[in-house]
Amino acid sequence: IQATATSVRLLLAGSLAQDRKFSKAQLWRAISLLAKHREVPQDTFLFSVFRGDETAMKSMLSCGVITQCRGSYAADELQSMKVKAGSPLYQEVFRRMTRDEGLTAVYDLEVAKDDIAREQKKLMEYEDELVRLQEVDDVKHFKDRGFTDPKKVLERQKAFLLELVHEQATKLEKYHTERRRCVGVIKAHEQ
């Protein structure tokens, strides 16, 4: 168990498999998910761990940390595909690692930072598009270079983007709350 734990920790630290296509945050998401569930539907695993990045998932499969298997109850072959720890030994290591509060906080912090960066990028894209639409609206109203918009497409698009900005802000608030929690746990373990 100790040797497997060491190899997983080295993967988390980035010391092994330099050609890997998955991040530390993705590996930790996988570890956390598989520590709680013996096997997970492949689609659920792909989107909750990798956000749909099949290349990263294939890379993790090739490292042997995870493996695919067929579920026994589904009639549809595609739906029956599951992902589980690469071996019962990995499963036990994942379970033990996630029980270590300090270690969990460190890697949960990594995941929170990854989530914050991703959601901040989306938020900025939405805000940039909103600014562009507002500039079009300003030209229409203040420079009398109007155009007709009888179906109020511009207003609807701005309202839609404002909803997306609100959704992103809510996600960011959740991830920042998790980040602060992790920092608190880490500080408590330092003392």
Side-chain angles (χ1 to χ4, degrees):
I1 287 183
Q2 190 59 39
T4 303
T6 300
S7 68
V8 171
R9 285 177 188 255
L10 287 172
L11 273 172
L12 281 167
S15 300
L16 293 178
Q18 280 110 3
D19 61 336
R20 71 180 190 191
K21 307 271 191 293
F22 56 89
S23 68
K24 286 189 244 182
Q26 289 170 327
L27 179 56
W28 185 252
R29 281 188 192 106
I31 289 169
S32 297
L33 186 59
L34 293 173
K36 293 176 190 166
H37 308 284
R38 193 168 109 39
E39 47 184 51
V40 179
Q42 183 170 314
D43 288 344
T44 302
F45 191 84
L46 178 63
F47 287 98
S48 64
V49 173
F50 299 104
R51 309 287 189 240
D53 183 354
E54 291 183 23
T55 303
M57 184 168 157
K58 287 177 184 176
S59 178
M60 193 177 289
L61 281 163
S62 71
C63 287
V65 176
I66 60 171
T67 190
Q68 293 173 312
C69 62
R70 294 207 186 283
S72 56
Y73 64 89
D76 183 5
E77 203 170 291
L78 290 176
Q79 287 182 339
S80 69
M81 291 304 293
K82 305 279 186 189
V83 174
K84 63 181 185 176
S87 70
L89 196 55
Y90 276 116
Q91 180 72 36
E92 179 60 21
V93 167
F94 295 170
R95 195 179 60 75
R96 289 182 184 192
M97 289 177 86
T98 57
R99 284 193 300 183
D100 182 334
E101 188 180 36
L103 181 71
T104 298
V106 167
Y107 288 109
D108 282 350
L109 179 60
E110 185 87 22
V111 168
K113 287 179 179 180
D114 183 62
D115 290 338
I116 288 167
R118 184 186 63 253
E119 299 304 332
Q120 187 65 44
K121 182 180 176 192
K122 282 184 192 175
L123 178 62
M124 289 172 62
E125 289 171 6
Y126 295 150
E127 289 173 338
D128 289 347
E129 181 63 21
L130 195 55
V131 166
R132 282 192 287 279
L133 289 175
Q134 188 58 47
E135 287 171 355
V136 170
D137 204 23
D138 290 347
V139 167
K140 179 182 172 196
H141 288 295
F142 298 115
K143 296 188 179 181
D144 274 339
R145 289 191 229 152
F147 56 88
T148 58
D149 188 11
K151 295 185 180 181
K152 306 284 186 203
V153 173
L154 187 64
E155 287 179 31
R156 287 196 330 255
Q157 185 66 20
K158 286 181 359 184
F160 176 68
L161 282 168
L162 284 171
E163 287 176 28
L164 292 175
V165 165
H166 175 71
E167 287 175 15
Q168 289 307 113
T170 302
K171 288 178 186 178
L172 278 169
E173 184 178 328
K174 179 179 94 172
Y175 296 137
H176 277 292
T177 299
E178 176 64 10
R179 181 189 57 78
R180 286 189 293 271
R181 183 197 67 77
C182 292
V183 168
V185 171
I186 291 167
K187 284 182 180 178
H189 276 80
E190 289 175 348
Q191 297 173 359

